[in-house]
Amino acid sequence: PIRDVYAREILDSRGNPTVEVEVTAQTETTGKKITGRESVPSGASTGRFEAVELRDGEKAYCGLGVKKVTEHVNTRIKEALIGMNVLDQAGIDRRMTELDATDNKGSLGANAVLGVSLACAKTAALALGIPLWRYIGGANARQLPVPMMNVINGGVHAKNSLDFQEFMIMPVGASCFSDALRMGAEIYHFLRQLLKEEGMTTSVGDEGGFAPDFRNVRDVFRMLGKAVELAGYRVGEDVVYAMDAAASELYDETRDIYRFPGETGQTADPTEEVMRSTDEMIALYEELTSEFPLVSIEEGLAEDDWDGWQKLTGRLGGKVQLVGDDLFVTNPKRIRCGIGLAVANAVLVKVNQIGTLSEALDAIELAQRAGYRTVISHRSGETEDSFIADLSVAVNAGQIKTGAPCRAERTAKYNQLLRIEESLGELARFEGRGCKVNR
């Protein structure tokens, strides 16, 4: 039974407050108390259909404090959960969802509910004496994910001229996860060297990737190609590319157009704004996938442009992984809608978008049963917690997004995956070149 639930305010990787929760359970046979701790991430690029992250809106921390959220945990949620069996994950999550009584966790706050939900899972795993990934995934949890390393940052993740948000390398030619991590780290360091030689900045964005100014997206991929080759690998064979367009951030709903302010600033006449229609966005993606080994495009169109997504999927879905992020927000209802409309072919999974572990697992199961690929993802505002590393193995997701091999809140996830791979030994699976994008 759960004996205590306690939350405190801590800092995330951007220096903003977030919630940390401790859940204590007590074994009835020995009386031993077990405590699991979990912290909650926060996104900068957020979809309007995500579960609500509550903030205090007061003077402290420029309005971003979470004291009210921790109070919700330490009173209402604690009172509701005391005495429940910590192993009853679905029951615990349902109790909190009913207590909140909104569609978007807007009463208690998704950052309150999620912290408790994940902390319960950690406490349960500790109580049983098994790894977290095994507790969540069971006997067949053994697939290590292909890392999607965000090595060039743009959009809201960096103050540069790049309008698209993330440019990633995927070391699909690796034979195991540890080799993939090594390859990615080597390419990352050669990329830094090349940027220095070109006189470009090597400061990093929120997710550890470099944030230089490029004239356009093609220049980014050309630079990545140079770094891959300098590291001794083959572009398109050992390493392929992925990108997060974060198109919802570029979409002007009033004009039904996608605006590219960074690209506009690079033109000969900055007064002539660069804008693209849905058809022009799709045409651009078709050009990029024909010119470069770009195998995965995340959030290629706006979060509510279902017609556009159908057209994009019809044109590119047979050869490219099309990942829904703001489109699906890890919500089974929206994923079910997407499946019915044959929209996208992969789901980005961010547990804080939906608010509980149980709902996230429901979303993953729904997607995988429909043949959609799943990508477990971090947020731009992270903590040193490594829960998503365990989750990626637990559900055999096949892919993980957790930033560049840089900054402790990113490498914490990679290092945990190294430990999991080591503990699995010969049972560990890694599908890189054999599946390219987790077919």
Side-chain angles (χ1 to χ4, degrees), residues 251-281:
Y251 184 60
D252 184 339
E253 190 172 3
T254 61
R255 302 171 67 182
D256 189 27
I257 203 79
Y258 294 87
R259 306 176 66 177
F260 287 75
E263 209 170 311
T264 297
Q266 301 289 322
T267 60
D269 183 4
T271 62
E272 294 185 12
E273 187 176 8
V274 177
M275 298 181 289
R276 291 184 174 91
S277 66
T278 294
D279 287 339
E280 289 171 328
M281 292 286 281

Side-chain angles (χ1 to χ4, degrees), residues 12 26 62 77 129 150 152 161 253 303 311 328 385 397 401:
D12 69 13
Q26 185 175 25
C62 306
I77 293 178
N150 178 11
I152 296 289
S161 59
E253 190 172 3
E303 59 197 345
K311 188 179 295 185
F328 292 138
D385 183 82
K401 278 183 60 180

Side-chain angles (χ1 to χ4, degrees), residues 93-157:
D93 291 345
R94 183 170 58 250
R95 178 74 63 87
M96 289 191 290
T97 300
E98 292 171 350
L99 182 66
D100 178 88
T102 69
D103 291 334
N104 59 5
K105 311 294 190 299
S107 175
L108 295 172
N111 40 350
V113 174
L114 181 67
V116 176
S117 178
L118 301 188
C120 283
K122 281 193 171 179
T123 303
L126 289 169
L128 295 175
I130 59 176
L132 180 61
W133 55 271
R134 180 67 76 201
Y135 171 69
I136 297 172
N140 200 43
R142 58 195 181 96
Q143 183 172 346
L144 275 294
V146 176
M148 305 173 78
M149 296 181 169
N150 178 11
V151 294
I152 296 289
N153 290 184
V156 298
H157 288 175

Side-chain angles (χ1 to χ4, degrees), residues 76-77 145 184 228 314 359 416:
R76 297 173 63 192
I77 293 178
V228 170
E359 290 169 295
Q416 175 65 359

Side-chain angles (χ1 to χ4, degrees), residues 324-361:
D325 177 14
D326 295 341
L327 177 73
F328 292 138
V329 291
T330 319
N331 188 315
K333 292 180 181 178
R334 290 186 67 86
I335 294 170
R336 194 172 289 111
C337 182
I339 292 169
L341 294 173
V343 160
N345 56 26
V347 175
L348 196 74
V349 177
K350 298 172 176 174
V351 287
N352 79 321
Q353 285 181 327
I354 190 65
T356 68
L357 176 59
S358 297
E359 290 169 295
L361 292 174

Side-chain angles (χ1 to χ4, degrees), residues 11-285:
L11 295 182
D12 69 13
S13 60
R14 284 197 289 254
N16 292 328
T18 190
V19 182
E20 181 177 80
V21 177
E22 293 177 351
V23 171
T24 300
Q26 185 175 25
T27 58
E28 292 183 317
T29 53
T30 66
K32 180 181 178 181
K33 291 185 177 181
I34 302 105
T35 300
R37 180 186 298 129
E38 179 62 32
S39 51
V40 179
S42 176
S45 173
T46 57
R48 67 181 183 214
F49 301 107
E50 290 190 26
V52 174
E53 175 188 82
L54 294 185
R55 299 283 180 174
D56 293 342
E58 298 175 352
K59 183 177 180 181
Y61 286 112
C62 306
L64 297 179
V66 290
K67 289 292 187 182
K68 293 178 182 177
V69 178
T70 60
E71 184 66 16
H72 288 167
V73 174
N74 295 334
T75 55
R76 297 173 63 192
I77 293 178
K78 175 180 177 179
E79 291 167 6
L81 299 188
I82 291 293
M84 288 191 71
N85 191 331
V86 77
L87 302 177
D88 183 13
Q89 186 72 47
I92 289 167
D93 291 345
R94 183 170 58 250
R95 178 74 63 87
M96 289 191 290
T97 300
E98 292 171 350
L99 182 66
D100 178 88
T102 69
D103 291 334
N104 59 5
K105 311 294 190 299
S107 175
L108 295 172
N111 40 350
V113 174
L114 181 67
V116 176
S117 178
L118 301 188
C120 283
K122 281 193 171 179
T123 303
L126 289 169
L128 295 175
I130 59 176
L132 180 61
W133 55 271
R134 180 67 76 201
Y135 171 69
I136 297 172
N140 200 43
R142 58 195 181 96
Q143 183 172 346
L144 275 294
V146 176
M148 305 173 78
M149 296 181 169
N150 178 11
V151 294
I152 296 289
N153 290 184
V156 298
H157 288 175
K159 301 300 180 184
N160 60 10
S161 59
L162 282 173
D163 297 301
F164 289 143
Q165 192 161 277
E166 300 175 16
F167 298 87
M168 296 166 274
I169 53 173
M170 297 178 67
V172 296
S175 60
C176 60
F177 176 79
S178 53
D179 279 350
L181 183 60
R182 174 183 54 78
M183 290 169 64
E186 290 170 354
I187 295 165
Y188 181 77
H189 291 298
F190 278 110
L191 178 59
R192 177 191 282 115
Q193 177 183 321
L194 286 170
L195 292 173
K196 283 183 177 179
E197 291 174 356
E198 293 290 329
M200 304 176 81
T201 180
T202 55
S203 59
V204 299
D206 284 345
E207 297 182 358
F210 302 114
D213 284 321
F214 282 94
R215 288 184 307 164
N216 54 55
V217 63
R218 288 176 171 83
D219 283 354
V220 175
F221 287 125
R222 292 187 188 107
M223 180 65 77
L224 290 181
K226 291 179 182 179
V228 170
E229 291 173 352
L230 194 59
Y233 302 111
R234 297 165 296 173
V235 176
E237 291 292 327
D238 299 320
V239 179
V240 294
Y241 304 145
M243 65 178 283
D244 175 8
S248 292
E249 300 288 337
L250 305 174
Y251 184 60
D252 184 339
E253 190 172 3
T254 61
R255 302 171 67 182
D256 189 27
I257 203 79
Y258 294 87
R259 306 176 66 177
F260 287 75
E263 209 170 311
T264 297
Q266 301 289 322
T267 60
D269 183 4
T271 62
E272 294 185 12
E273 187 176 8
V274 177
M275 298 181 289
R276 291 184 174 91
S277 66
T278 294
D279 287 339
E280 289 171 328
M281 292 286 281
I282 295 172
L284 173 62
Y285 298 140

